[in-house]
Every structure is written in C-alpha cells, then in structure tokens.
Amino acid sequence: MISYARQTQEEQPEASPPPIEEHIAPAPRVSVQAFCETVETAAAVQSAGEDRRLGKAHLKIQMGGMAAAIEAYRSAPTPNVIVLESDGRNDLLTGLDQLATVCDAGTRVIVIGRINDVMLYRELVRRGVSDYVLAPVGAIDVVRSICNLFSAPEAKAVGRIIAVVGAKGGVGASTISHNVAWAIARDLAMDAVVADLDLAFGTAGLDYNQDPPQGIADAVFSPDRVDTAFIDRLLSKCTDHLSLLAAPATLDRVYDFGTDAFDAVFDTLRSTMPCIVLDIPHQWSGWTKRALIGADDILIVAAPDLANLRNTKNLFDLLKAARPNDRPPLYCLNQVGIPKRPEIAATEFAKAIESQPIVSIPFEPQIFGSAANNGQMVAEISANHKSIEMFLQIAQRLTGRSETKKQKTSLLSPLIDKLRGK
C-alpha cells in the first residue's frame, strides 16, 4: 500500500478564506502533479502554484482525474505529491486501489472531492490518503493542503519571517526593525533573530552593542556550508530570547548577490527559530524583491512626505499583486512632526494607500539619538517612552501574538501567602 502521511481531523470544512493571522509554512523543494476533472479546479491549482509558499515546488497540471493518473504512472515514476480530483465515491475508492499498484512508496496523495461525508473521509484515511479537501477549492486551500503535508501538526508554528524595509533611505527602518524585534523577544517571549541584510552599512551590530567576528556574510559567501550548526555558530546572543545575524559593515569586498543568494540562510533559520526579522536595506534588486515577496509578513517604514508616499504605494501595489493569498503589507509612519517641515497628514497617506498606518511614531531625536549612540534600545533608555507601546503594537500585529503578562509581586506577597495558607 502507498505510504502516506495521515491527518487527525475527522471533518473537512467547506473552502473559505484564511483567517488574517493564519501562518502557512512554505513547502520544500518537492514535485507535485495534479490530475483535475474541472477547469475551475485546474485554475485554482494553477493559481496555487504561483503562491510564494509553493515557490520551490515543481507543479504540473493535467486533466483527466483518477484515470489519467493511473495511466500516467504505469510507465513513469510518481512525484512527491499527487493531487487528485474526483466527484464519485465508489469510483474514487476503486481508483485509489488501482493507483496503489503503480504508485511509488512515500508518495503522498491529496484528494479533492464533492462528498461531505465523515465515513468517506475515514475510509480514505484507512487507505492512506493524506488529505481530503472539499470542492470547490480556492488557491489558498490547495496551498494549505500541500504545505501542511511537510509540517508536523503537533509542532508549534516556527519560522515566521518578518521583512522590514524603508520606503526611502534614511526613514529609520533599521531602527524600527531592531526595536520591534526587541519587543517580540522581551514582551512576547518569542525566540527571535535579527538578520541584518545591509552587509556594507548595516547598523544592527551597533544598535545591539555587538561586534561578533562572524555574521551573515560568512553564510552568504559559503552556501555549501550552511546548515543548522553553521548558522548557530554565526549567531550573536543579545538577550535570552534575541539573537543577531550581524552584517560585517565593511567595504573590503563588493556585495553583489544573485537572486537566491539568501535562500539557504532563510531556510535554515526557518527550521530553528520561531521568528526571523529581516532588516532589508533600501535598494531594489532581485534578492531584495525575493526576500520581500517570500516573507510571511511585511512592514514598510515611511516618512510623511511625497517621495515616501509614492514609494509606499508602489511597494503596496507590487506586493499585493505578487502575494494574492497573503494579507496586504503593513506600514507605519516614522519621524512625524519634524519642526518646520511640511508633511503629508496620516489621513491623506491612508487615503492614497487605501490602508491605515499601523502607528505614527513621532520625531524624537533626543531619545532615539541617545539609544543609537549608546548601543541600546529605546526601552533601555526610557522604560516609559510612548514609542515603546507602538513597537509592541507592531510586534503583536506582525506575529499575531498578545503580550506575555508578567505577574506582579509586592513586598507583602510572602505574608499574604502565609495568611492564605492558614
């Protein structure tokens, strides 16, 4: 019998759009072949193949359903995943039995059907089917089903990549990304790593007061050595929950990269770290575009002027088109209220972008300048500064998590506990 992974759910809900905080981990490099019976399902599978989470998968679509699949594999090896559309019950079960005789061990099967019946689902599970998806399906249903085959259902979601980029140079995107990562680690108690991708001029090492001898450049220039142990050696520990993959910030070499230069680094970080914050430099190249499109969530940092408005709008339009199954990027306004500078109001910004800024961070040169020069976060300089709550709000929206409440204690706590004991 075909060796398939099994799921534990008993009933399959009808196709519906994902909740806004849903996290679907990307699929690895696998081969997927779909055998569809209707053009609607074929179109949904085709659209799923264009989703960023299936970017590494090799997808092939054929019409003909179960009969075409059985005929195809009589003389050809089977892929990692087979997606089958079927509208019958008896024909489906008979066809699966025939498919098992020509299918390679280890191949996983996803069935798309129109019969909403628990008994049928149980019979499919007994035959080793990995997932049963109720038609009609959308692209995100196909993406979810394929990706979930390669992530353990009982494991906590890991590898959420958050990309932070400035709409224009000098808007403080690095400062925001570093402080948000600090809030994720300290206030949300998530293990996180900051990857400084500005190899020539990155400031993460300065902001966290770290000067590691190795960093992200060692991984990028030695892709064949990249694995979990290698990346662990390159990480610099900032706090109990926060690590840094620092940029060298030197000009002794030219940092020209191919489009997939950072893929091995990101894949390795995903497998070991619950949250990865990418500090992406303000430049437009193949690898920066790939990093943004491939991220789980995106934060654009903009200042309230016309150039930032134009660039934010361009980024929004590109990312929404390239990521149709993801929620739109988030953006925040930074350096708001510089004296004597004409500014575009947040309401006008939101009208043009068709989205409200998550926060508007005021221009506070004293506190931000002191933090930068001291190699500290704003929370370390001033524990009650109003921007700290904004960083936490951004962190919560990007991660989908609430603040971890710290239990308050007082000098009278031991006495009260004794009285309660009596």
Side-chain angles (χ1 to χ4, degrees):
M1 181 58 189
I2 313 172
S3 176
Y4 301 134
R6 295 190 176 185
Q7 296 194 347
T8 59
Q9 68 218 53
E10 290 292 329
E11 297 178 304
Q12 297 295 317
E14 293 190 21
S16 60
I20 198 168
E21 301 294 354
E22 181 181 25
H23 175 58
I24 302 174
R29 298 185 188 277
V30 293
S31 56
V32 182
Q33 292 185 9
F35 295 85
C36 304
E37 292 187 345
T38 63
V39 293
E40 292 80 10
T41 298
V45 176
Q46 180 66 43
S47 180
E50 298 168 0
D51 188 274
R52 64 176 178 84
R53 285 157 289 211
L54 294 182
K56 294 181 180 179
H58 178 71
L59 177 64
K60 182 180 179 181
I61 303 172
Q62 296 176 231
M63 303 302 292
M66 180 72 72
I70 296 171
E71 185 62 31
Y73 299 132
R74 291 188 192 280
S75 58
T78 50
N80 301 113
V81 181
I82 300 174
V83 180
L84 294 170
E85 183 182 13
S86 174
D87 58 2
R89 180 190 183 105
N90 295 330
D91 291 345
L92 171 59
L93 298 178
T94 302
L96 286 174
D97 291 339
Q98 295 178 13
L99 182 64
T101 64
V102 296
C103 201
D104 297 335
T107 297
R108 303 180 181 186
V109 170
I110 297 170
V111 174
I112 299 173
R114 287 172 171 75
I115 301 174
N116 190 3
D117 183 1
V118 173
M119 297 304 296
L120 172 61
Y121 178 73
R122 287 175 175 169
E123 185 61 30
L124 293 176
V125 169
R126 193 181 69 80
R127 279 173 159 81
V129 168
S130 301
D131 194 10
Y132 180 69
V133 185
L134 197 63
V137 295
I140 192 64
D141 300 306
V142 179
V143 170
R144 183 189 300 110
S145 184
I146 294 174
C147 291
N148 284 348
L149 296 180
F150 302 96
S151 58
E154 70 278 0
K156 63 179 181 179
V158 298
R160 180 186 289 268
I161 288 184
I162 296 169
V164 182
V165 66
K168 188 170 176 282
V171 297
S174 291
T175 298
I176 300 301
S177 67
H178 303 161
N179 280 274
V180 168
W182 181 273
I184 291 172
R186 187 191 69 166
D187 299 320
L188 305 185
M190 288 182 67
D191 288 332
V193 59
V194 174
D196 191 344
L197 304 186
D198 189 351
L199 272 68
F201 304 105
T203 59
L206 296 175
D207 285 353
Y208 291 120
N209 196 25
Q210 300 285 328
D211 187 22
Q214 294 178 302
I216 195 167
D218 299 88
V220 175
F221 288 109
S222 303
D224 55 322
R225 298 177 58 196
V226 173
D227 58 20
T228 302
F230 183 64
I231 292 294
D232 283 345
R233 291 197 298 269
L234 301 182
L235 291 176
S236 176
K237 196 76 171 176
C238 300
T239 68
D240 288 342
H241 290 289
L242 183 63
S243 299
L244 171 64
L245 196 54
T250 59
L251 304 179
D252 55 351
R253 66 170 82 183
V254 176
Y255 302 106
D256 290 334
F257 302 121
T259 301
D260 57 355
F262 290 88
D263 283 8
V265 178
F266 296 163
D267 289 345
T268 304
L269 288 173
R270 273 190 188 275
S271 66
T272 58
M273 194 67 65
C275 185
I276 304 102
V277 178
L278 306 182
D279 180 5
I280 299 180
H282 179 74
Q283 65 182 67
W284 197 241
S285 62
W287 71 264
T288 54
K289 179 180 178 181
R290 185 179 179 91
L292 282 171
I293 292 176
D296 294 294
D297 286 287
I298 302 165
L299 175 68
I300 301 170
V301 181
D305 63 30
L306 185 59
N308 277 273
L309 175 56
R310 178 201 63 187
N311 296 349
T312 302
K313 176 65 173 173
N314 288 342
L315 282 168
F316 254 73
D317 291 345
L318 179 139
L319 292 170
K320 287 171 69 176
R323 299 156 50 90
N325 302 312
D326 290 270
R327 68 174 177 179
L330 301 175
Y331 77 98
C332 71
L333 295 178
N334 191 33
Q335 303 172 352
V336 175
I338 294 181
K340 299 182 180 181
R341 180 183 72 173
E343 295 182 348
I344 297 176
T347 53
E348 294 300 317
F349 222 96
K351 185 177 179 181
I353 304 299
E354 299 180 344
S355 176
Q356 293 289 335
I358 182 171
V359 295
S360 293
I361 303 173
F363 179 63
E364 299 274 7
Q366 182 67 38
I367 188 71
F368 281 88
S370 296
N373 289 336
N374 292 337
Q376 293 178 295
M377 297 293 99
V378 172
E380 296 178 288
I381 294 291
S382 177
N384 297 317
H385 194 266
K386 54 188 175 183
S387 66
I388 298 172
E389 185 63 30
M390 295 182 182
F391 295 142
L392 176 58
Q393 185 178 346
I394 296 173
Q396 290 172 328
R397 285 286 299 277
L398 289 171
T399 61
R401 291 200 177 191
S402 300
E403 181 179 5
T404 302
K405 300 295 184 182
K406 298 180 177 64
Q407 186 176 0
K408 295 182 179 180
T409 58
S410 69
L411 294 176
L412 297 178
S413 294
L415 178 59
I416 293 174
D417 290 340
K418 288 182 178 180
L419 292 175
R420 284 176 177 172
K422 291 181 179 179

